């Protein structure tokens, strides 16, 4: 049943802590003093915005209860967690009144009960609490400091997947009891004395604040000298002594470290491709303007999200190879965190008891009609337009008429235009340059040259097309004829047993007027497409491999429907896959082998998109000099879903065999849970490495799908507080920390100066503040920069409009106008200030926004807007440490800083 736990405080820390422990199987009662909040929680409504929290509360059911009565909360409780607020007083000290109130209400606790301090408190608080408990006659009650490290917007994940658990106690037995309470969470346990535990929290937050304030100061200097702070931060972060974490002006960031051969699925605009981290870095640099396939535990499945940062650094040291029972593996630095079923753990702490997530179910809907593949683009690289013969759709030339044809081609054949027009009408063909003069619709035309077989202008990418592609992946290659240097496409089949596939390939190309010849030999039947135009398009444009070692999935398949993905997989399996009985039946497995690592990686991911988990085996066949990658599909349910992978005449035997199972056999090595499959770790090996390692940051999920669809973590955002109180009260002048805090506060206020330099006096001006919460994915307004900005702007005589998708600041901000949409907020505004980095603001520089504003000025406090896009759209743009961009004459340049983003206490 677990332990009985009382939690005092239903704020971010208290509610997440209570729900988290209930999710671990404990019985939890959360007590709060606000009736409306308790009523809402009893009704299943979370009174603030925190992704995933409502789902956890619904999942734990009766293990989590809520009350206004302190005695009901502590009745029978073994542990009492103090999660109340400790805000700063006017003197700057922490207000501990709520903590003392909780202690006053701790009556009738059983012997051996433990008070656990989660609230952020000054160092030395534990000693005072211990003395207060003793003074109340509660010497039998233990005390433990267990600071929280929850970042709003990812607090649920931070509790269930912590990077460390800090436990400070006066008595070892009390610390042991709290440590056992966390069983089920995989994280390092830091056992300390009470003051050290209190200091860990304050020191960690202070260090992060130092880095953020430092890079904001660098941003200010960059604006003065014309440098780009993002490039500066990147260059700094590649120094292994510095690192990249929390060096982005305005927001914090971090990253994982993986070797360059790990792959990711990338979306660049509307195109999707599979790329290694090394190739991605070489082609994109810092990763701006691309999206990566990522995953969130509470989402519908894998999804694409923008990359905040892509970096690399040279690394010499050990890397960890983590392999799963399903053959998927990842190689990363030893200190890289991985996502497990029990929480995040560092790579060198992973054991064979851990399970890693695998991306599943990136659903797509079928388009109204198949997309048309443009074959014409391949002509330009190999044939001049006057050498290409075009046969338009029937009747199109006759509808134009001889006179118009003659006039159009006159300058191409001045002396024989009438004769040429008659020839065009008689033969129904013309040259490509003549077709261009007549502006003939050539989408349904066929093409040929004097030395090349005919080819269609376009090909419909329907299921039939994707089956042919799949057959090529298995049986095809594109050799160059040594006699003329022309490339040809070939499919090679069994000499007698695959005639249906031979006919399918021939019939497909015949339907587009492309000649496909069949050649029979003792060991194979070859289907050859002689059109070098088709061959060049097939290899260079569609992107298929020239031989079995280079085979890869075409990039265009990634955005196709699941129906088409299954079609290409079916073609591949029919061409070179197999199925067999397991130990004579009744279980069945499907297998497919390839010597192309890229093809195996792609097919594993494609199977995941349609909900199939395949096992990967790597080995070498007899006399082979290269590895073969074997994909294995097992389990009765999965086999039934891929019956089309077997020849039609053999499917009934598979169905009959599965029907003989007395118990449905499930595959081993993985389990399904919600929107992912979880793979059991089978091996963890450490080895030396020298070379580049790569870091990716993809907020807000802080994860991405790497090779084969295996999901890994990148960074851990943290909240931030202060250490200044302790230093001052202890008689120490913490000069560095004082400067850090000063920089942070000035960053907020100096935005006003930035506006004044563009607009002059702000009296009577309308300023739109976009985003109110202190950071995205939360509705928390505590210490939010918007409060300072709104107050300063109102004091300058400006009219302030505000917008935020979730935060309700009506009880905090007075004298401002609240808008329901961004467009409403910026209408007739003289400037728009990006205060919170919501994703909705990335496309702010749109025509409708510009036209709605009186002055199209964007002050980007989070660097979420593309400066060039803003300039192109007609905006004046000011970012963080970026050069100003302005299409408006006469506007002065600015050298002012931007807003720092600091997390308040949970």
């Amino acid at each position: 049943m677990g332990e009985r736990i009382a939690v005092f405080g239903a704020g971010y820390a208290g509610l997440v802590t209570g729900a988290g422990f209930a999710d671990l199987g404990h019985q939890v009662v959360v007590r709060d003093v606000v009736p409306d909040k308790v009523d809402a929680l009893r009704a299943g409504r979370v009174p603030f915005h925190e992704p995933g929290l409502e789902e956890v509360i619904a999942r734990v059911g009766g293990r989590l209860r809520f009350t206004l009565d302190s005695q009901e909360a502590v009745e029978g409780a073994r542990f009492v967690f103090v999660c109340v607020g400790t805000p700063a007083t006017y003197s700057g000290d922490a207000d501990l009144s709520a903590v003392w109130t909780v202690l006053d209400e701790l009556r009738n606790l059983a012997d051996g009960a433990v008070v656990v301090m989660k609230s952020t408190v000054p160092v030395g608080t534990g000693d005072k609490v211990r003395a207060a408990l003793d003074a109340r006659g509660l010497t039998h009650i233990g005390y433990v400091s267990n600071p929280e490290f929850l970042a709003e917007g990812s607090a649920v994940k931070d509790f269930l997947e912590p990077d460390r658990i800090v436990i400070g106690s006066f008595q070892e037995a009390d610390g042991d009891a709290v440590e056992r309470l966390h069983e089920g969470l995989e994280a390092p346990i830091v056992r300390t004395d009470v003051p050290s535990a209190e200091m860990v929290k304050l020191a960690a937050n202070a260090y992060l604040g130092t880095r953020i304030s430092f890079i904001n100061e660098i941003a200010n200097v960059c604006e003065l000298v014309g440098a780009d702070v993002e490039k500066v931060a990147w260059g700094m972060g590649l120094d292994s002594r510095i690192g990249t974490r929390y060096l982005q002006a305005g927001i914090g960031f971090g990253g994982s470290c993986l070797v360059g051969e790990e792959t990711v699925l990338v979306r660049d605009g509307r195109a999707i491709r599979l790329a290694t981290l090394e190739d991605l870095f070489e082609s994109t640099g810092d990763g701006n303007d691309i999206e990566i396939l990522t995953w969130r535990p509470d989402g519908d499945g894998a999804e694409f999200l923008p990359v905040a940062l892509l970096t690399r650094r040279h690394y010499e040291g050990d890397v960890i190879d983590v392999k799963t029972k399903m053959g998927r593996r990842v190689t990363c630095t030893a200190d890289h965190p991985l996502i497990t079923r029990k929480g995040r753990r560092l790579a060198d702490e992973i054991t064979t008891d851990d399970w890693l997530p695998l991306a599943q179910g990136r659903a797509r809907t079928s388009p109204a009609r198949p997309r048309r593949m443009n074959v014409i683009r391949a002509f330009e690289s190999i044939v001049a337009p006057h050498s290409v013969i075009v046969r338009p759709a029937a009747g199109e030339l006759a509808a134009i008429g001889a006179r118009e044809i003659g006039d159009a081609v006159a300058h191409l054949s001045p002396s024989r235009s009438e004769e040429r027009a008659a020839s065009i009408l008689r033969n129904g063909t013309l040259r490509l340059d003549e077709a261009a003069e007549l502006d003939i619709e050539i989408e349904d035309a066929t093409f040929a040259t004097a030395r090349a077989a005919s080819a269609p202008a376009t090909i419909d990418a329907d299921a039939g097309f994707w089956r042919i592609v799949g057959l090529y992946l298995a049986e095809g290659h594109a050799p160059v004829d040594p006699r003329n240097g022309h490339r040809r496409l070939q499919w090679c089949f069994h000499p007698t047993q695959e005639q249906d596939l031979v006919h399918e390939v021939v019939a497909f190309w015949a339907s587009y007027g492309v000649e496909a010849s069949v050649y029979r030999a003792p060991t194979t039947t070859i289907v050859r497409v002689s059109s070098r135009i088709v061959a060049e398009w097939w290899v260079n444009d569609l992107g298929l491999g020239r031989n079995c070692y280079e085979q890869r999935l075409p990039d265009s398949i990634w955005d196709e429907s699941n129906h088409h993905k299954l079609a290409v997989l079916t073609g591949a399996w029919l061409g070179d896959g197999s199925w067999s009985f397991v130990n004579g039946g009744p279980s069945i497995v499907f297998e497919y082998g390839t010597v192309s690592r890229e093809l195996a990686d792609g097919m594993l991911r494609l199977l995941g998109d349609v909900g199939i988990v395949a096992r990967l085996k790597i080995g070498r066949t007899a006399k082979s000099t290269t590895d073969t990658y074997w994909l294995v599909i097992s389990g009765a349910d999965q086999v039934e879903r891929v019956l089309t992978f077997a020849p039609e005449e053999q499917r009934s035997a598979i169905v009959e065999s599965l029907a003989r199972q007395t118990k449905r056999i499930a595959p081993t090595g993985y389990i399904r849970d919600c929107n992912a499959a979880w793979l059991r770790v089978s091996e963890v090996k450490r080895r030396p490495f020298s070379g580049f390692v790569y870091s990716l940051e993809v907020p807000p999920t802080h994860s991405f799908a790497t090779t084969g669809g295996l999901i890994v973590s990148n960074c851990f955002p943290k909240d931030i507080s202060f250490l200044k109180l302790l230093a001052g009260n202890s008689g120490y002048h913490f000069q560095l920390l004082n400067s850090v805090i000063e920089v942070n506060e000035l960053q907020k206020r100096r935005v006003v100066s930035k506006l004044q330099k563009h607009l002059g006096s702000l009296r009577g001006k309308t300023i739109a503040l976009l985003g109110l919460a202190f950071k995205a994915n939360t509705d928390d307004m505590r210490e939010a920069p918007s409060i300072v900005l709104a107050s300063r702007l109102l004091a300058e005589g400006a009219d302030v409009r505000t917008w935020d998708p979730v935060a309700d600041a009506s009880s905090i901000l007075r004298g401002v106008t609240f808008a329901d949409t961004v467009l409403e907020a910026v209408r007739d505004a003289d400037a728009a200030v990006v205060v919170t980095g919501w994703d909705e603001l990335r496309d702010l520089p749109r025509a409708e926004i510009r036209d709605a504003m009186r002055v199209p000025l964007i002050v980007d406090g989070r660097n979420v807007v593309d400066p060039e896009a803003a300039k192109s759209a007609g905006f004046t743009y000011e970012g963080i440490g970026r050069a100003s961009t302005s299409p408006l004459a006469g506007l002065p340049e600015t050298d002012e800083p931007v807003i720092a983003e600091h997390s308040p206490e949970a």
Side-chain angles (χ1 to χ4, degrees):
M1 272 189 74
E3 296 286 359
R4 178 81 157 73
I5 299 172
V7 176
F8 280 70
Y12 280 90
L15 192 53
V16 173
T17 297
F21 278 124
D23 204 36
L24 293 176
H26 302 293
Q27 299 293 320
V28 182
V29 179
V30 177
R31 188 257 180 162
D32 203 276
V33 297
V34 181
D36 289 345
K37 182 186 293 186
V38 172
D39 290 342
L41 289 168
R42 286 172 173 170
R45 300 190 307 273
V46 176
F48 49 82
H49 181 77
E50 182 58 41
L53 186 53
E54 284 190 2
E55 289 79 359
V56 174
I57 291 175
R59 182 167 69 235
V60 300
R63 292 197 301 272
L64 180 64
R65 296 186 291 114
F66 305 95
T67 183
L68 292 165
D69 187 347
S70 61
Q71 293 312 301
E72 179 184 350
V74 301
E75 182 179 356
R78 171 76 192 283
F79 299 91
V80 177
F81 278 79
V82 181
C83 302
V84 296
T86 55
T89 63
Y90 288 110
S91 67
D93 294 293
D95 182 0
L96 299 179
S97 59
V99 172
W100 302 122
T101 298
V102 172
L103 295 180
D104 290 336
E105 296 177 335
L106 296 183
R107 298 185 296 272
N108 303 320
L109 287 178
D111 287 348
V114 180
V115 173
V116 185
M117 185 61 66
K118 274 284 185 188
S119 299
T120 300
V121 295
V123 178
T125 300
D127 290 324
K128 296 175 182 178
V129 173
R130 179 69 269 171
L133 290 171
D134 292 343
R136 289 168 169 80
L138 300 176
T139 56
H140 59 289
I141 303 302
Y143 180 87
V144 168
S145 174
N146 177 219
E148 56 84 16
F149 300 95
L150 307 178
E152 293 179 39
S154 62
V156 173
K157 291 192 293 183
D158 289 344
F159 181 92
L160 296 175
E161 304 168 10
D163 52 346
R164 81 281 206 192
I165 298 170
V166 177
I167 299 173
S169 61
F170 293 106
Q171 300 294 326
E172 284 294 314
D174 296 333
D176 292 341
V178 174
E179 182 172 344
R180 287 193 297 271
L181 199 63
H182 290 83
E183 287 180 357
L185 298 181
E186 298 293 341
I189 304 293
V190 180
R191 294 292 297 271
T192 73
D193 53 83
V194 172
S196 296
E198 294 168 338
M199 179 62 89
V200 168
K201 169 75 171 181
L202 300 180
N205 288 335
Y207 180 71
L208 298 182
T210 300
R211 289 176 68 94
I212 293 172
S213 291
F214 174 82
I215 199 62
N216 277 331
E217 287 281 65
I218 295 297
N220 298 340
V221 179
C222 284
E223 290 183 352
L224 288 170
V225 301
D228 186 335
V229 71
E230 294 187 336
K231 301 298 183 184
V232 172
W234 175 32
M236 291 171 54
L238 294 179
D239 188 324
S240 60
R241 298 167 300 175
I242 298 173
T244 58
R245 303 189 70 179
Y246 289 87
L247 277 182
Q248 187 170 347
I251 60 174
F253 64 89
S256 60
C257 296
L258 282 79
V259 298
E261 66 182 13
E262 296 292 342
T263 62
V264 288
L265 203 57
V266 185
R267 183 162 66 187
D268 187 353
R270 300 184 65 179
I272 300 176
R273 70 185 189 278
L274 189 61
T276 65
L277 289 176
E278 180 180 7
D279 290 342
L280 184 62
F281 184 87
E282 295 292 343
S283 62
T284 66
D286 58 9
N288 283 339
D289 302 321
I290 61 172
E291 295 177 306
I292 296 293
L293 191 69
T294 180
W295 170 84
R296 66 180 87 214
D298 55 351
D300 294 329
E303 60 183 305
F304 282 99
L305 288 174
V307 172
L309 192 73
L310 167 62
T311 66
R312 78 174 179 186
R313 61 186 175 92
H314 193 271
Y315 172 78
E316 289 200 25
D318 286 349
V319 293
I320 304 293
D321 293 322
V322 181
K323 181 182 177 182
T324 70
K325 282 195 171 183
M326 299 302 290
R328 317 300 174 92
R329 61 186 70 196
V330 62
T331 303
C332 56
T333 53
D335 59 352
H336 166 61
L338 295 175
I339 300 172
T340 75
R341 278 181 65 80
K342 296 182 179 180
R344 284 185 169 108
R345 303 186 65 183
L346 299 182
D348 63 355
E349 298 170 341
I350 295 294
T351 72
T352 52
D353 291 330
D354 287 311
W355 299 72
L356 308 182
L358 182 73
Q360 292 281 281
R362 191 172 61 88
R364 289 290 178 272
T365 57
S366 300
R369 54 175 295 184
R371 77 169 78 185
R372 282 201 156 183
M373 298 290 189
N374 188 341
V375 184
I376 301 175
R377 286 180 297 194
F379 295 0
E380 299 176 358
S381 62
I382 60 174
V383 184
H386 66 273
S387 299
V388 179
I389 301 170
V390 182
R391 182 177 294 277
E396 188 162 347
L397 290 173
I400 297 174
R403 180 182 296 276
E404 187 175 345
I405 293 174
D407 292 343
V409 303
H411 76 282
L412 297 174
S413 305
S415 62
R416 47 194 293 269
S417 59
E418 292 185 6
E419 179 183 346
R420 180 58 186 153
S423 175
I424 289 172
L425 286 172
R426 182 174 60 255
N427 297 320
T429 61
L430 70 169
R431 298 193 303 263
L432 184 58
D433 55 349
E434 293 171 332
E437 293 294 330
L438 286 166
D439 195 24
I440 286 179
E441 175 58 59
I442 59 174
E443 187 175 87
D444 295 319
T446 57
F447 295 78
T449 70
R451 297 184 179 181
S454 62
T458 61
I459 291 178
D460 290 334
D462 55 14
F465 166 79
W466 287 114
R467 276 176 59 103
I468 298 301
V469 169
L471 288 169
Y472 180 83
L473 293 172
E475 306 282 16
H477 61 291
V480 174
D481 190 332
R483 296 171 299 178
N484 53 27
H486 295 169
R487 190 175 302 282
R488 300 288 186 254
L489 297 183
Q490 291 188 171
W491 285 254
C492 299
F493 297 104
H494 189 277
T496 59
Q497 297 177 8
E498 296 180 323
Q499 293 307 300
D500 56 330
L501 302 181
V502 171
H503 295 152
E504 182 176 355
V505 174
V506 171
F508 173 82
W509 291 113
S511 69
Y512 285 98
V514 177
E515 181 182 359
S517 304
V518 178
Y519 301 89
R520 303 190 186 278
T523 60
T524 186
T525 297
I526 300 173
V527 179
R528 179 179 298 155
V529 171
S530 299
S531 172
R532 63 186 175 114
I533 293 175
V534 168
E536 292 297 333
W537 167 75
W538 194 260
V539 172
N540 296 325
D541 196 348
L542 192 56
L544 287 153
R546 294 170 296 179
N547 54 55
C548 61
Y549 300 99
E550 298 178 2
Q551 284 293 15
R552 61 186 300 275
L553 288 169
D555 292 340
S556 50
I557 188 59
W558 297 113
D559 210 25
E560 289 289 327
S561 66
N562 282 351
H563 178 60
H564 288 172
K565 291 176 180 178
L566 281 169
V568 75
L569 290 166
T570 296
W573 237 277
L574 290 174
D576 203 26
S578 64
W579 67 271
S580 60
F581 295 106
V582 179
N583 296 324
S587 295
I588 305 288
V589 295
F590 279 86
E591 290 188 295
Y592 182 89
T594 175
V595 292
S596 168
R597 180 180 186 271
E598 184 175 3
L599 179 59
D601 183 16
M603 290 182 69
L604 287 170
R605 289 174 177 268
L606 208 63
L607 286 164
D609 280 359
V610 298
I612 300 295
V613 181
R615 182 161 58 97
L616 175 65
K617 298 189 301 182
I618 305 175
R620 293 195 178 184
T621 57
K623 299 182 180 180
S624 174
T625 59
T626 187
D627 287 337
T628 297
Y629 301 86
W630 298 96
L631 281 60
V632 183
I633 299 174
S634 61
D637 291 340
Q638 292 203 139
V639 167
E640 285 179 340
R641 293 176 60 190
V642 297
L643 278 178
T644 57
F645 291 8
E648 186 172 1
E649 67 275 9
Q650 299 175 15
R651 295 171 193 170
S652 59
I654 297 174
V655 173
E656 291 171 3
S657 182
L658 293 177
R660 292 197 302 271
Q661 291 183 351
T662 57
K663 180 181 178 182
R664 297 284 284 185
I665 305 299
T668 60
Y670 81 92
I671 55 177
R672 294 185 184 274
D673 186 11
C674 299
N675 60 8
W678 293 83
L679 312 185
R680 183 71 175 264
V681 173
S682 61
E683 185 179 61
V684 181
K685 282 189 175 181
R686 182 185 290 264
R687 61 180 173 87
F689 177 85
S690 178
F692 286 113
V693 290
Y694 296 79
S695 299
L696 265 177
E697 167 60 4
V698 188
T701 61
H702 309 292
S703 68
F704 60 93
T706 186
T707 310
L710 199 64
I711 300 161
V712 298
S713 174
N714 40 67
C715 77
F716 297 87
K718 303 292 187 298
D719 65 347
I720 188 163
S721 183
F722 52 83
L723 191 56
K724 177 182 177 181
L725 299 173
L726 174 66
N729 293 340
S730 303
Y732 179 76
H733 180 60
F734 204 147
Q735 185 171 345
L736 174 61
L737 194 55
N738 288 339
S739 298
V740 168
I741 296 170
E742 181 181 3
V743 169
N744 181 46
E745 293 304 312
L746 286 175
Q747 290 294 89
K748 305 170 187 176
R749 290 172 168 81
R750 293 166 77 179
V751 170
V752 176
S753 299
K754 186 183 290 283
L755 291 168
Q756 289 171 329
K757 288 192 174 184
H758 282 282
L759 302 174
S761 172
L762 298 182
R763 182 168 298 278
K765 300 295 195 303
T766 299
I767 308 298
L769 298 183
L770 304 180
L772 296 175
F774 82 93
K775 70 173 184 177
N777 292 317
T778 179
D779 59 355
D780 196 353
M781 288 294 297
R782 291 174 295 176
E783 298 185 18
S786 60
I787 299 174
V788 175
L789 287 175
S791 299
R792 292 284 289 116
L793 291 170
L794 291 171
E796 293 292 330
D799 295 324
V800 179
R801 291 210 203 100
T802 66
W803 167 87
D804 193 282
V806 297
D808 180 7
S810 58
S811 62
I812 301 173
L813 297 181
R814 304 294 184 183
V816 306
T817 302
F818 296 93
D820 293 329
T821 65
V822 173
L823 185 61
E824 181 184 347
V826 303
R827 194 172 302 282
D828 297 323
D830 296 282
V833 181
V834 178
V835 184
T836 309
W838 290 103
D839 285 342
E840 295 94 318
L841 299 177
R842 293 185 182 278
D843 65 342
L844 186 62
R846 307 188 305 272
E848 63 175 348
I849 298 293
R850 179 200 62 218
D851 295 341
M853 296 180 69
R854 184 161 44 232
V855 178
L857 168 63
I858 295 175
V859 178
D860 185 4
R862 300 298 181 199
N863 277 1
V864 299
V865 174
D866 182 357
E868 291 303 317
K871 180 180 179 180
S872 299
F875 288 84
T876 297
Y877 173 84
E878 290 283 354
I880 309 172
R882 291 168 158 176
S884 302
T885 61
S886 175
L888 307 177
L891 287 181
E893 295 296 326
T894 180
D895 59 1
E896 294 304 318
V898 76
I899 310 164
E901 182 178 86
H902 284 225
S903 304
E905 292 301 316

